[in-house]
Amino acid sequence: MDEQILRATKEMIVKFIEMGRLSPSNIHESFKDLYATVNETVKENVTKAVPSNDKQD
């Protein structure tokens, strides 16, 4: 899952650069912020989507 989050973040950064919304000179800070946001969002939604298996019959 971490590799997919990293790939998605990289693709988003590339798109932002292509669109002119992000400058390569400030990519370091932007990448860290975007990665943290994607990581948090994905992991929150995965834990909500996966049902708990506390009770097993």
Side-chain angles (χ1 to χ4, degrees):
M1 182 181 319
D2 290 333
E3 186 176 333
Q4 292 171 332
I5 292 169
L6 184 62
R7 279 188 200 166
T9 304
K10 182 186 121 194
E11 289 178 21
M12 292 169 75
I13 290 290
V14 169
K15 288 293 181 189
F16 286 148
I17 291 172
E18 289 175 350
M19 292 173 21
R21 310 269 283 157
L22 181 64
S23 169
S25 64
N26 62 353
I27 193 171
H28 181 71
E29 185 176 320
S30 299
F31 188 89
K32 287 175 22 177
D33 290 342
L34 187 57
Y35 180 85
T37 302
V38 172
N39 187 40
E40 181 180 313
T41 303
V42 168
K43 291 192 175 174
E44 280 179 8
N45 287 310
V46 166
T47 57
K48 290 178 186 176
V50 176
S52 177
N53 288 333
D54 292 337
K55 289 186 174 183
Q56 293 181 352
D57 295 324

